[in-house]
Amino acid sequence: MKTNNPAAGRTHRGAAILGRAGLGLSLLGLWTSCLAMGLKVEPASVECGASVAAPAMPPPAAQNLLPDSQAARGQKDVLWAWLGSPTSRYPHTALGSPVHAGSLHALVSGPSGTLREVVYNLPFHRVFEDRVPRLADLDGDGRDEIIVVEADAIRGAALVVLGLRPQAPTNASRAKPSGQVLIELARSPHAGAPFRWLNPVGVADFDGDGRLDIATVTTPHIGGVLTLHHFRPPVLEPYARAMDVSNHRMGALEQRLAAIVEQPGHRPTVIAPDMQLRALHALRWEAPGQWKELAELKPMAARIERLTPVPDGACARLADGAWWRVTLTP
């Protein structure tokens, strides 16, 4: 990982060399060496012993969602959100298929309690290159924002935030708005070229200003850059970047390869793999504005296939079928 602190960069480069040189260590040696270095890594049972709740059944309106995608359940003004209108007009296979979504759908409750589907359609030169919408109240106004990856045929991927807003009254009925529509609230800079993609990490107050930010990894397959964004409509404003980070394997459907750890008295920490998906970073954005690597790069016994949040850390599933409990230590 490269940082904006030269001394930290020299320290990390040395740590990365040592970490990669140690890939041949035995599992016992790996476990022991991790105990006092900020990340504790221990063998675990399936899902690290956590019970996995069955996903809620999407509404009938979402039955025609994009293949291999998931509907997301909201907690505020969006009941459900999902991707639809499958199309192969942008044949990038980062997620294993050239078929992506041409529309975003939201199920909302009307004034009388009736359910209504709201649809946001993209123009022909764009698609949603994603498999699950993410819902969060980014600005604390009591409404859900929907976070999705959009791809442009010329400029590549960008992160887009959409939300429900009152529809402007028509000429025939100017007395009151005629319902709600989905509109774009903010977007990040594009990745810069066709077939350049980004993968979201999650939402947290990374810089301690009391407002939620969004973390992504831009180009996770070819020089991944962990990027933190302020939500400043109409833009998502990048304010911190770190190199040598990935949260996706090219062609894989699984997008969960990073975890955000929040502990009392500390800013949130991102646990994410390196570019080879064979070791773990623990990164925190510290005052007055620099990345802090909380542990030496931690080699794993096999390629990391999934990384999901658990209390004080993450649960890692490796390509060899093993599960490991990753804990952020004081």
Side-chain angles (χ1 to χ4, degrees):
M1 181 201 72
K2 295 179 182 179
T3 72
N4 57 353
N5 182 328
R10 290 192 295 270
T11 301
H12 174 73
R13 284 192 291 273
I17 293 171
L18 289 175
R20 291 193 177 94
L23 287 176
L25 293 174
S26 68
L27 293 183
L28 179 60
L30 170 64
W31 181 15
T32 303
S33 68
C34 291
L35 290 178
M37 300 172 70
L39 282 181
K40 181 171 67 174
V41 181
E42 304 170 287
S45 58
V46 173
E47 300 288 352
C48 296
S51 59
V52 180
M57 183 65 67
Q63 297 306 308
N64 294 323
L65 79 174
L66 178 73
D68 295 321
S69 69
Q70 302 173 44
R73 195 169 190 173
Q75 302 295 323
K76 299 182 184 295
D77 58 338
V78 176
L79 302 178
W80 287 89
W82 66 93
L83 299 167
S85 306
T87 175
S88 57
R89 65 195 186 213
Y90 185 78
H92 189 213
T93 57
L95 290 165
S97 169
V99 178
H100 304 296
S103 61
L104 174 69
H105 302 246
L107 189 67
V108 302
S109 179
S112 61
T114 58
L115 299 182
R116 187 169 70 92
E117 182 180 346
V118 181
V119 182
Y120 182 90
N121 290 299
L122 287 175
F124 185 76
H125 63 288
R126 291 180 175 174
V127 298
F128 290 116
E129 193 175 7
D130 211 340
R131 290 299 179 265
V132 57
R134 299 150 196 86
L135 280 74
D137 183 3
L138 293 173
D139 53 8
D141 67 351
R143 296 181 289 188
D144 287 309
E145 277 75 53
I146 306 174
I147 305 165
V148 283
V149 180
E150 183 190 280
D152 182 275
I154 302 299
R155 295 181 289 174
L159 195 68
V160 179
V161 178
L162 300 105
L164 289 169
R165 295 296 184 268
Q167 184 175 14
T170 64
N171 290 333
S173 175
R174 290 193 174 277
K176 60 180 181 179
S178 54
Q180 295 194 96
V181 294
L182 282 168
I183 67 168
E184 179 181 311
L185 302 177
R187 71 168 51 233
S188 73
H190 287 266
F195 299 167
R196 294 292 180 262
W197 187 64
L198 61 83
N199 191 28
V201 172
V203 172
D205 178 11
F206 293 105
D207 61 354
D209 67 352
R211 294 181 286 186
L212 292 177
D213 310 310
I214 307 175
T216 66
V217 176
T218 303
T219 57
H221 317 121
I222 53 168
V225 182
L226 174 64
T227 307
L228 305 181
H229 304 265
H230 285 140
F231 179 54
R232 302 285 189 267
V235 299
L236 290 175
E237 182 181 88
Y239 69 89
R241 294 181 174 90
M243 306 294 287
D244 186 43
V245 179
S246 182
N247 65 340
H248 187 258
R249 178 171 60 86
M250 181 66 186
L253 186 62
E254 180 62 72
Q255 291 180 256
R256 297 171 295 173
L257 234 68
I260 298 170
V261 182
E262 301 196 53
Q263 296 175 319
H266 299 285
R267 291 184 180 182
T269 299
V270 176
I271 298 178
D274 68 349
M275 283 301 301
Q276 287 71 42
L277 304 178
R278 295 294 298 263
L280 288 172
H281 290 289
L283 297 164
R284 180 183 293 156
W285 185 248
E286 294 278 16
Q290 61 184 2
W291 288 105
K292 181 178 181 181
E293 183 102 43
L294 302 181
E296 293 186 21
L297 199 64
K298 298 298 183 294
M300 302 298 287
R303 186 182 66 234
I304 303 161
E305 296 274 297
R306 196 178 85 188
L307 199 65
T308 51
V310 296
D312 292 321
C315 184
R317 186 188 70 201
L318 305 187
D320 61 3
W323 293 82
W324 290 79
R325 178 67 158 83
V326 182
T327 303
L328 185 64
T329 60

